[in-house]
């Protein structure tokens, strides 16, 4: 992608852990010059310290083009005011922080700040993420497009019509990879409990989830139809699905409860 303006004015990263690191590493791979990047991070990963020319915990540019905010929600109030120069509206403030409403950025950066709140997910690390975004009313069209292009470098992008929908995106797509990884873990554990060698069980579970996800994405078919394609009448899958699709105890009820818990926590973090 074209990093022209960012290359000239700079990109600041506040917090470069799992999510900030996933985004930054993809941008560097896509051609963002390391000399245009300033990172504030108390415990930098080895890969970050090895990037030649990158400014690590080393001053800040006056009016960076973009500031990526990727600290934990509980750290936002303490850390964001240190970046006082990014509240003028000339810097695109791109935040991945879960739960924190736009009003908190106004409070911490002032009323002119151009802020885009986003919900990425960790498959961004391999360019296969999906990120939801919502821009505040001080973000101009060029800044919103820049946000979309940056996020587009790590996967798909969805512009949401209201800020409130970000919490829904978090509960499904932000947290979702963890639900799927837990599915892999539990499929492997169930197969191991029935006698399969643990390494074989894990290999089968991982490849099955990856293959099913890929099939769903590439064909774009209704997942209910893809499920039916596996399910022979009165066959083996049907027996398993009668357990998994049970209204009281199956996946639907379990996921409803999990998503409700995620939404409650998202709301609590907003008050942190
Ligand atoms: N992980 C995910 O899947 C997703 C995360 N998010 C959001 O991304 C944000 C970061 O999450 P994640 O990457 O998982 O967490 P991490 O803990 O991996 O990253 C946060 C980083 O911020 C650093 N940090 C702490 N204090 C400061 C400071 N004073 N100045 C600069 N950096 C500091 C932390 O260092 P140290 O470890 O030393 O404290 C850590 O490296 C969160 O707000 C989360 O809600 C959003 C969507 C998905
Ligand atoms: O667990 C969290 O709070 C963050 C937000 C979404 C994924 N990780």
């Amino acid at each position: 992608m074209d990093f022209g303006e960012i290359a000239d004015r700079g990109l600041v990263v506040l917090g470069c852990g799992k999510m900030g690191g996933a985004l930054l590493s993809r941008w560097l791979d896509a051609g963002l010059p390391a000399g245009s990047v300033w990172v504030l991070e108390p415990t930098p990963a080895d890969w970050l310290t090895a990037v030649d020319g990158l400014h690590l915990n080393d001053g800040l540019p006056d009016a960076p083009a973009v500031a990526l905010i990727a600290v934990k929600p509980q750290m936002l109030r303490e850390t964001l005011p240190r970046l006082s120069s990014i509240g003028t509206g000339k810097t695109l403030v791109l935040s991945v922080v879960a739960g924190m409403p736009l009003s908190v950025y106004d409070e911490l950066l002032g009323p002119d700040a151009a802020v885009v709140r986003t919900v990425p997910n960790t498959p961004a690390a391999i360019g296969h993420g999906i990120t939801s975004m919502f821009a505040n009313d001080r973000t101009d069209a060029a800044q919103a497009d820049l946000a979309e292009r940056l996020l587009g470098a790590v996967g798909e992008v969805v512009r949401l019509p209201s800020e409130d929908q970000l919490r829904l995106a978090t509960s499904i797509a932000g947290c979702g990879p963890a639900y799927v990884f837990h599915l892999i873990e539990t499929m492997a554990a169930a197969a191991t409990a029935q006698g399969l060698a643990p390494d074989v069980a894990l290999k089968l579970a991982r490849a099955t989830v990856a293959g099913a996800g890929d099939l769903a994405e590439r064909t774009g078919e209704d997942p209910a139809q893809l499920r039916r394609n596996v399910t022979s009448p009165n066959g083996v899958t049907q027996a398993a699905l009668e357990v998994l699709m049970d209204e009281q105890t199956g996946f639907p009820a379990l996921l409803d409860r999990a998503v409700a818990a995620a939404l409650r926590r998202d709301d609590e973090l907003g008050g942190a």
Side-chain angles (χ1 to χ4, degrees):
M1 84 173 258
D2 177 11
F3 289 101
E5 198 189 347
I6 301 178
D8 290 346
R9 293 172 48 201
L11 168 87
V12 170
V13 180
L14 177 67
C16 199
K18 290 179 284 295
M19 203 62 249
L23 293 166
L24 178 60
S25 65
R26 293 292 300 187
W27 294 337
L28 290 167
D29 287 350
L32 172 65
S36 304
V37 179
W38 281 257
V39 176
L40 298 177
E41 168 55 59
T43 45
D46 291 346
W47 74 266
L48 192 58
T49 55
V51 178
D52 255 354
L54 182 142
H55 309 266
L56 186 55
N57 298 319
D58 170 26
L60 288 177
D62 282 341
V66 178
L68 173 68
I69 311 300
V71 288
K72 292 285 190 197
Q74 296 87 341
M75 295 300 296
L76 189 71
R77 286 180 183 280
E78 181 184 330
T79 54
L80 197 58
R82 289 186 204 158
L83 305 184
S84 51
S85 71
I86 67 172
T88 60
K90 296 198 176 84
T91 298
L92 164 65
V93 180
L94 194 62
S95 174
V96 302
V97 177
M100 282 296 173
L102 287 167
S103 57
V104 170
Y105 297 85
D106 286 357
E107 193 189 309
L108 299 174
L109 294 175
D112 298 325
V115 184
V116 175
R117 270 189 69 192
T118 74
V119 180
N121 62 14
T122 53
I126 56 163
H128 209 150
I130 184 155
T131 307
S132 302
M133 60 176 266
F134 181 81
N136 75 0
D137 55 12
R138 271 87 68 197
T139 304
D140 64 29
Q143 288 171 320
D145 287 349
L146 177 59
E148 186 164 353
R149 276 189 286 123
L150 283 168
L151 300 168
V154 300
E156 287 183 68
V157 184
V158 175
R159 289 197 193 202
L160 294 177
S162 71
E163 182 180 9
D164 188 52
Q165 292 190 5
L166 286 168
R167 59 197 283 284
L168 306 176
T170 301
S171 71
I172 292 298
C175 310
Y179 310 164
V180 175
F181 299 138
H182 190 53
L183 176 66
I184 297 175
E185 289 177 83
T186 50
M187 282 171 68
T192 302
Q194 295 294 340
L196 211 55
D199 58 333
V200 177
L202 183 58
K203 187 180 171 100
L204 292 182
R206 185 159 39 204
T208 299
V209 170
D214 207 11
L215 183 67
E217 190 175 63
R218 283 204 223 181
T219 62
E221 260 200 75
D222 178 2
Q225 183 55 46
L226 292 171
R227 165 173 55 74
R228 283 192 284 273
N229 294 348
V230 184
T231 313
S232 308
N234 223 8
V236 182
T237 312
Q238 184 178 321
L241 285 180
E242 280 168 11
V243 176
L244 290 176
M245 296 175 75
D246 183 278
E247 277 195 19
Q248 307 300 321
T249 57
F251 267 163
L254 203 54
L255 268 176
D256 279 350
R257 281 170 45 214
V259 165
L263 293 173
R264 276 196 301 280
R265 187 61 189 140
D266 191 272
D267 292 343
E268 287 165 7
L269 288 173

